[in-house]
Amino acid sequence: MEHVNDSVVSEFVLLGLAQSLGMQLSLFLFFSLFYVGALLGNLFIVFAVIVDPHLHSPMYILLANLSLVDLGLASTTVPRALSDLLTARTLISFHSCMIQMFFIHVMGGVEMVLLISMAYDRYTAICRPLHYLTIMSSRTCVLLVAAAWTTGMIHAVSQFIFVINLPFCGPNNVGSFYCDFPRVIKLACTDTYRLEFVVTANSGFISMGTFFSLMVSYAFILVTVWQHSSSALSKACVTLSAHITVVIMFFTPCMFLYVWPFPTQSLDTFFAIVDFVVTPVLNPTIYTLRNKDMKLAIRRLGRQVVGSRETSP
């Protein structure tokens, strides 16, 4: 961290999301509603998985961790964006910018591995149901969760250790409403071509490869189900549709933000809002409204709350 103190640039300028007061208020309301929805929805899933013994299975333990990650992604960027919408000062300190980038990529790496683990869980449950309890044991679930968080840390640190040591002495306009490696690297007072390629490969190409691998795996599951029983295909489609939707919602912005060769400020801002504001509230909505076990858990929790009120003096 000694290099940080030697940097000439002590703060970065973030992009204002709106110029007019009316648009600022509209975006503030939009961000606030979605952030509150993300908080309540994801915290409810975590709470339900903890207190409901019917949800103590690998699929829902992975889902609870996914909710924590979505909550972390939203909390890393949205509160700061809300604050900037209420003030004309859209500056972020050097240290805060570095911390924001680090945690964005920790959460992104964790979510990537969790989505792979959830796909493996569904493959085992649908294609190898008789061996499910043996393959997806409690030990396996713990190892998958530990691997996800470890991978997230490695993914972030492998980029952060290079960026933190870059000299920043000139322009400090990030060009976005949050800090991220590709934009901050371009502001360094040195040749960063190789480092930009490393970041693109680390975040972009890995996202693309993971996305297409997941799509192929889900297609393989559906083909396998269709070959064994065409009548079970519709049920499998319903089960996997939620997972596929979440995968598309997560990886599409990542691929455009890190790999798209013709970036524009408006397109980057749109996909960043989708990634940090919209997706964290859609994931719990998708998994609660389209999942039979989660619906039953909501009813059980509702009955418990009503029963506790009736028995209280």
Side-chain angles (χ1 to χ4, degrees):
M1 296 295 288
E2 295 177 357
H3 294 273
V4 176
N5 298 327
D6 297 334
S7 300
V8 175
V9 173
S10 61
E11 57 186 12
F12 292 100
V13 179
L14 297 177
L15 173 70
L17 287 171
Q19 301 298 324
S20 66
L21 179 60
M23 182 59 70
Q24 287 179 338
L25 292 176
S26 298
L27 285 174
F28 181 83
L29 180 62
F30 173 78
F31 276 46
S32 298
L33 290 174
F34 272 74
Y35 184 58
V36 171
L39 283 174
L40 296 178
N42 287 293
L43 286 176
F44 171 79
I45 288 180
V46 174
F47 175 76
V49 172
I50 292 174
V51 302
D52 193 331
H54 296 87
L55 300 181
H56 292 176
S57 64
M59 175 183 173
Y60 295 106
I61 292 173
L62 294 172
L63 177 59
N65 278 270
L66 182 65
S67 293
L68 287 175
V69 170
D70 283 335
L71 192 56
L73 274 175
S75 298
T76 304
T77 55
V78 177
R80 174 81 206 192
L82 288 171
S83 175
D84 290 342
L85 284 170
L86 292 179
T87 62
R89 182 179 173 85
T90 56
L91 298 176
I92 184 171
S93 69
F94 186 95
H95 292 84
S96 297
C97 182
M98 294 294 139
I99 292 172
Q100 187 180 63
M101 289 191 299
F102 178 77
F103 280 104
I104 284 174
H105 284 264
V106 168
M107 298 301 170
V110 175
E111 181 152 356
M112 192 179 302
V113 179
L114 284 176
L115 291 174
I116 295 173
S117 301
M118 294 173 75
Y120 178 68
D121 175 82
R122 290 302 85 199
Y123 162 78
T124 306
I126 294 174
C127 298
R128 305 186 65 184
L130 298 179
H131 300 89
Y132 178 77
L133 294 178
T134 303
I135 297 174
M136 290 300 297
S137 61
S138 299
R139 181 175 179 273
T140 302
C141 185
V142 171
L143 289 175
L144 289 173
V145 171
W149 287 96
T150 302
T151 302
M153 290 294 297
I154 295 173
H155 169 70
V157 170
S158 64
Q159 300 174 87
F160 184 76
I161 57 176
F162 294 106
V163 178
I164 195 68
N165 289 312
L166 289 175
F168 295 95
C169 55
N172 64 341
N173 193 329
V174 176
S176 181
F177 67 93
Y178 70 102
C179 289
D180 201 2
F181 288 132
R183 297 172 185 83
V184 173
I185 287 172
K186 293 181 183 296
L187 302 177
C189 303
T190 185
D191 182 15
T192 59
Y193 175 78
R194 292 183 178 178
L195 185 54
E196 288 179 40
F197 177 79
V198 170
V199 171
T200 300
N202 201 325
S203 298
F205 295 154
I206 291 177
S207 296
M208 287 184 62
T210 305
F211 172 75
F212 288 113
S213 297
L214 286 171
M215 289 297 101
V216 170
S217 66
Y218 285 128
F220 174 78
I221 293 173
L222 293 175
V223 170
T224 303
V225 172
W226 176 72
Q227 290 177 341
H228 286 81
S229 174
S230 58
S231 60
L233 182 61
S234 59
K235 183 179 179 180
C237 287
V238 172
T239 302
L240 295 179
S241 60
H243 295 266
I244 294 173
T245 302
V246 170
V247 167
I248 293 174
M249 290 294 296
F250 174 74
F251 282 103
T252 300
C254 289
M255 290 187 290
F256 272 92
L257 290 171
Y258 295 105
V259 184
W260 184 245
F262 311 106
T264 61
Q265 186 172 293
S266 58
L267 191 64
D268 283 356
T269 301
F270 169 77
F271 279 113
I273 291 174
V274 171
D275 204 17
F276 297 116
V277 182
V278 179
T279 301
V281 75
L282 282 184
N283 285 356
T285 303
I286 292 170
Y287 279 114
T288 52
L289 296 181
R290 305 192 66 176
N291 186 285
K292 180 181 178 182
D293 292 335
M294 289 301 301
K295 291 179 181 178
L296 292 174
I298 293 173
R299 293 172 187 169
R300 284 192 293 267
L301 289 173
R303 287 195 295 265
Q304 290 177 7
V305 172
V306 172
S308 63
R309 288 180 178 177
E310 291 177 350
T311 56
S312 60

